Amino acid sequence: MATVTTTRAILTSSPMKWALGGWSFFILENLILSENRSYLISTFGDQPYHIAYGTLSTAAMTSVGYGYVKKVKHAEPLLWSLKGPAPVGAKVMGFVCLSLGLGMASQIPPKVQIPVHFVGNGDDGDNNSNNNNNNIVSDNTNHDSGESTGSSSVATADPIIPISGREENGKGWQVRCPFDFTDNKNKDAESSSSVSGLERITRHPGLWSFGLLGLGNALLVPSLPQRAWLAMPAMVALVGGAHTE
């Protein structure tokens, strides 16, 4: 009975709530939005969906960071003294988890990105301008070599539209998740359609490397709330990985 009371007191303490609450909200909102992605996009549109997704993810990670710095770090109860060494078993298991996590992270680091960015059609406009310039140079070369007449060289060259004259359609602010775990997957898909590297083991190596690094560090700290906070990325990989877009 005393053990149950102690466990309940630990789980309902303020540091433990902060340790688990932010990460749980992050998992829950990703789970709900990913599972209902098609319905939400068809109902509200693609841009509102991604704005909501990015806003909620950023808010969740903000609460996770605040909770760790202000409420969780070095919070009681402690398994051993803060200045004391970790048990040998914890050191061994921590070393294994950290080694695996670092090995995976060295191959597939997630892309860290600003949560808010401006989307425009500037790149398309620049590419169009470059294509137009290339057309003009090609036509002028053909004209000089006698392969075409002057009238045809002018007719085949598309007019160059100045940057200031571009339309505003397609421009706007977009909110996104601070971590892009699909960046390397997209690059691999562009280069090859076959599955290679760590993706032969898991579809989300970035999430699992993050989770293993958290577990390795969790084993080396005496604070129970801090351990819970550091172990939660593994839960993100386990639950959220199956629902990542």
Side-chain angles (χ1 to χ4, degrees), residues 154-170:
V154 175
T156 56
D158 295 332
I160 301 177
I161 301 177
I163 296 178
S164 60
R166 288 193 300 238
E167 296 180 357
E168 294 297 323
N169 295 334

Side-chain angles (χ1 to χ4, degrees), residues 142-187:
N142 293 337
H143 173 71
D144 293 339
S145 60
E147 295 178 5
S148 63
T149 62
S151 59
S152 63
S153 66
V154 175
T156 56
D158 295 332
I160 301 177
I161 301 177
I163 296 178
S164 60
R166 288 193 300 238
E167 296 180 357
E168 294 297 323
N169 295 334
K171 294 185 178 182
W173 290 97
Q174 182 176 348
V175 183
R176 56 188 178 180
C177 183
F179 300 99
D180 183 7
F181 290 97
T182 63
D183 181 59
N184 287 279
K185 182 184 293 186
N186 294 335
K187 292 179 180 178

Side-chain angles (χ1 to χ4, degrees), residues 95-108 208-210 212-213 217:
F95 175 78
V96 172
C97 290
L98 288 173
S99 298
L100 290 174
L102 288 173
M104 296 175 69
S106 65
Q107 301 184 53
I108 37 76
W208 278 110
S209 66
F210 191 41
L212 287 170
L213 289 174
N217 283 284

Side-chain angles (χ1 to χ4, degrees), residues 2 10 14 29 32 51 55 63 90 124 131 148 169 233 244:
I10 293 174
S14 177
E29 58 93 6
I32 293 175
I51 289 177
T55 301
S63 68
D124 294 336
N131 293 334
S148 63
N169 295 334
T244 301

Side-chain angles (χ1 to χ4, degrees), residues 107-108 188 191-202 205:
Q107 301 184 53
I108 37 76
D188 293 340
S191 60
S192 175
S193 58
S194 61
V195 178
S196 61
L198 291 173
E199 290 193 357
R200 291 176 293 183
I201 303 174
T202 173

